[in-house]
Coordinates of all heavy atoms in Angstrom, one line a residue:
S509 N 11.7 -3.2 6.5 CA 12.8 -4.1 6.9 C 14.1 -3.2 7.4 O 15.0 -3.8 7.9 CB 13.3 -5.0 5.8 OG 13.7 -4.2 4.7
N510 N 13.9 -1.9 7.3 CA 15.1 -1.1 7.7 C 14.6 0.1 8.5 O 13.5 0.6 8.4 CB 15.8 -0.5 6.5 CG 16.5 -1.5 5.6 OD1 17.4 -2.1 5.9 ND2 15.9 -1.7 4.4
T511 N 15.4 0.6 9.5 CA 15.1 1.7 10.2 C 15.6 2.9 9.4 O 16.3 2.8 8.4 CB 15.9 1.7 11.6 OG1 17.4 1.7 11.3 CG2 15.6 0.5 12.4
I512 N 15.3 4.2 9.9 CA 15.8 5.3 9.2 C 17.3 5.4 9.2 O 17.8 6.0 8.2 CB 15.1 6.5 10.0 CG1 15.4 7.9 9.2 CG2 15.6 6.7 11.3 CD1 14.7 7.9 7.8
S513 N 18.0 5.0 10.3 CA 19.4 5.0 10.2 C 20.0 4.0 9.3 O 21.0 4.4 8.6 CB 19.9 4.8 11.7 OG 19.4 3.5 12.1
D514 N 19.3 2.9 9.0 CA 19.9 2.0 8.1 C 19.7 2.6 6.7 O 20.7 2.5 5.9 CB 19.0 0.7 8.2 CG 19.3 -0.2 9.3 OD1 20.4 0.0 9.9 OD2 18.3 -0.8 9.8
I515 N 18.6 3.2 6.3 CA 18.4 3.8 5.1 C 19.4 5.0 4.8 O 20.0 5.1 3.8 CB 17.0 4.3 4.9 CG1 16.0 3.1 5.0 CG2 16.8 5.1 3.7 CD1 14.5 3.6 4.9
S516 N 19.7 5.7 5.9 CA 20.6 6.9 5.8 C 22.0 6.4 5.6 O 22.7 7.0 4.8 CB 20.5 7.7 7.1 OG 19.2 8.2 7.3
E517 N 22.4 5.2 6.2 CA 23.7 4.7 6.0 C 23.9 4.1 4.6 O 24.9 4.3 4.0 CB 24.0 3.6 7.0 CG 24.2 4.1 8.4 CD 24.4 2.9 9.5 OE1 24.3 1.7 9.0 OE2 24.5 3.2 10.6
G518 N 22.8 3.7 4.1 CA 22.8 3.3 2.7 C 23.0 4.3 1.7 O 23.7 4.3 0.8
M519 N 22.4 5.5 2.0 CA 22.6 6.7 1.2 C 24.0 7.2 1.4 O 24.6 7.7 0.3 CB 21.7 7.8 1.8 CG 20.3 7.6 1.5 SD 19.2 8.9 2.0 CE 17.6 8.5 1.5
Y520 N 24.7 7.1 2.5 CA 26.1 7.4 2.6 C 26.9 6.6 1.8 O 27.9 7.0 1.2 CB 26.5 7.4 4.1 CG 26.2 8.6 5.0 CD1 25.3 8.5 6.1 CD2 26.7 9.8 4.6 CE1 25.0 9.7 6.9 CE2 26.4 11.0 5.4 CZ 25.6 10.8 6.5 OH 25.3 12.0 7.2
F521 N 26.7 5.3 1.8 CA 27.4 4.3 1.1 C 27.2 4.5 -0.4 O 28.2 4.4 -1.2 CB 26.9 2.9 1.4 CG 27.6 1.8 0.6 CD1 28.8 1.3 1.0 CD2 26.9 1.2 -0.5 CE1 29.4 0.4 0.3 CE2 27.6 0.2 -1.3 CZ 28.8 -0.3 -0.9
C522 N 26.1 5.1 -0.9 CA 25.9 5.4 -2.4 C 26.5 6.7 -2.7 O 26.3 7.1 -3.8 CB 24.4 5.3 -2.6 SG 23.6 3.8 -2.5
K523 N 27.1 7.4 -1.7 CA 27.9 8.7 -2.0 C 26.8 9.8 -2.3 O 27.2 10.7 -3.1 CB 28.9 8.5 -3.1 CG 29.9 7.5 -2.8 CD 30.7 7.7 -1.6 CE 31.8 6.6 -1.4 NZ 32.5 6.8 -0.1
L524 N 25.6 9.7 -1.8 CA 24.7 10.8 -2.0 C 25.3 12.0 -1.2 O 25.9 11.9 -0.3 CB 23.3 10.4 -1.6 CG 22.6 9.3 -2.4 CD1 21.3 9.1 -1.8 CD2 22.5 9.8 -3.9
P525 N 24.8 13.3 -1.7 CA 25.3 14.5 -1.0 C 24.9 14.5 0.5 O 23.7 14.1 0.7 CB 24.6 15.6 -1.8 CG 24.4 15.1 -3.2 CD 24.1 13.6 -3.0
K526 N 25.7 14.9 1.3 CA 25.3 15.1 2.8 C 24.2 15.9 3.0 O 23.3 15.6 3.9 CB 26.5 15.4 3.6 CG 27.6 14.4 3.6 CD 28.7 14.9 4.5 CE 29.8 13.8 4.7 NZ 30.9 14.3 5.6
L527 N 24.0 17.0 2.2 CA 22.9 17.9 2.4 C 21.5 17.2 2.2 O 20.5 17.3 2.9 CB 23.0 19.1 1.5 CG 21.9 20.1 1.6 CD1 21.9 20.7 3.0 CD2 22.1 21.2 0.6
F528 N 21.5 16.3 1.1 CA 20.3 15.5 0.8 C 20.0 14.7 1.9 O 18.8 14.5 2.3 CB 20.5 14.8 -0.5 CG 19.4 14.0 -0.9 CD1 18.3 14.5 -1.6 CD2 19.4 12.6 -0.6 CE1 17.2 13.7 -1.9 CE2 18.4 11.7 -1.0 CZ 17.3 12.3 -1.6
I529 N 21.0 13.9 2.5 CA 20.7 13.0 3.6 C 20.2 13.7 4.8 O 19.3 13.2 5.5 CB 22.0 12.2 3.9 CG1 22.5 11.4 2.6 CG2 21.8 11.2 5.0 CD1 23.9 10.7 2.8
E530 N 20.8 14.8 5.2 CA 20.4 15.6 6.2 C 19.0 16.0 6.1 O 18.1 16.1 7.1 CB 21.3 16.8 6.5 CG 22.7 16.4 6.9 CD 23.7 17.5 6.8 OE1 23.3 18.7 6.6 OE2 24.9 17.3 6.9
L531 N 18.6 16.6 5.0 CA 17.2 17.0 4.7 C 16.2 15.8 4.8 O 15.1 15.9 5.3 CB 17.2 17.6 3.4 CG 17.8 19.0 3.1 CD1 17.7 19.4 1.7 CD2 17.1 20.0 4.1
F532 N 16.7 14.6 4.4 CA 15.9 13.4 4.4 C 15.5 13.1 5.8 O 14.5 12.8 6.3 CB 16.6 12.3 3.7 CG 16.0 10.9 4.0 CD1 14.8 10.6 3.3 CD2 16.6 10.0 4.8 CE1 14.2 9.3 3.5 CE2 16.1 8.8 5.0 CZ 14.8 8.4 4.4
V533 N 16.6 13.0 6.7 CA 16.4 12.7 8.2 C 15.6 13.7 8.9 O 14.6 13.4 9.6 CB 17.8 12.6 8.8 CG1 17.6 12.3 10.3 CG2 18.6 11.5 8.2
L534 N 15.8 15.1 8.6 CA 15.1 16.1 9.2 C 13.6 16.1 8.9 O 12.7 16.2 9.7 CB 15.7 17.4 8.9 CG 17.0 17.8 9.6 CD1 17.7 19.0 9.0 CD2 16.9 17.8 11.2
C535 N 13.3 15.9 7.5 CA 11.9 15.8 7.1 C 11.3 14.7 7.7 O 10.1 14.8 8.1 CB 12.0 15.8 5.6 SG 12.4 17.3 4.7
Y536 N 12.0 13.5 7.8 CA 11.3 12.3 8.4 C 10.9 12.6 9.8 O 9.8 12.3 10.2 CB 12.2 11.2 8.3 CG 11.8 9.9 8.8 CD1 11.0 9.0 8.2 CD2 12.1 9.6 10.2 CE1 10.5 7.8 8.8 CE2 11.7 8.4 10.8 CZ 10.8 7.6 10.1 OH 10.4 6.4 10.7
K537 N 11.8 13.2 10.6 CA 11.6 13.5 12.0 C 10.5 14.5 12.2 O 9.6 14.4 13.1 CB 12.8 13.8 12.8 CG 13.9 12.8 12.7 CD 13.4 11.5 13.3 CE 13.2 11.5 14.9 NZ 12.7 10.3 15.5
F538 N 10.6 15.6 11.4 CA 9.7 16.7 11.5 C 8.2 16.3 11.1 O 7.3 16.7 11.7 CB 10.2 17.9 10.7 CG 11.0 18.8 11.5 CD1 12.3 18.5 11.7 CD2 10.5 19.9 12.0 CE1 13.1 19.3 12.5 CE2 11.3 20.9 12.6 CZ 12.7 20.6 12.9
I539 N 8.1 15.4 10.1 CA 6.7 15.0 9.7 C 6.0 14.4 10.8 O 4.9 14.7 11.1 CB 6.9 14.1 8.5 CG1 7.2 14.9 7.2 CG2 5.5 13.3 8.3 CD1 7.5 14.0 6.0
F540 N 6.7 13.4 11.5 CA 6.0 12.7 12.6 C 5.8 13.6 13.8 O 4.7 13.5 14.5 CB 6.9 11.4 12.9 CG 6.7 10.3 12.0 CD1 7.9 10.1 11.2 CD2 5.6 9.7 11.6 CE1 7.9 9.1 10.2 CE2 5.6 8.8 10.6 CZ 6.7 8.5 9.9
N541 N 6.7 14.5 14.1 CA 6.6 15.4 15.2 C 5.4 16.3 15.0 O 4.5 16.6 15.9 CB 7.8 16.2 15.4 CG 8.9 15.4 16.0 OD1 8.7 14.4 16.7 ND2 10.2 15.8 15.8
L542 N 5.3 16.9 13.7 CA 4.2 17.8 13.4 C 2.9 17.1 13.3 O 1.8 17.6 13.7 CB 4.6 18.5 12.2 CG 5.7 19.5 12.2 CD1 5.8 20.2 10.8 CD2 5.4 20.6 13.2

Side-chain angles (χ1 to χ4, degrees):
S509 61
N510 295 290
T511 62
I512 187 67
S513 58
D514 291 332
I515 296 174
S516 301
E517 287 177 3
M519 291 180 174
Y520 278 118
F521 179 78
C522 294
K523 305 298 182 183
L524 292 178
K526 289 185 177 181
L527 179 61
F528 176 82
I529 301 173
E530 292 167 11
L531 288 174
F532 168 75
V533 175
L534 288 174
C535 288
Y536 177 85
K537 298 302 292 182
F538 269 77
I539 284 172
F540 290 112
N541 286 339
L542 293 180

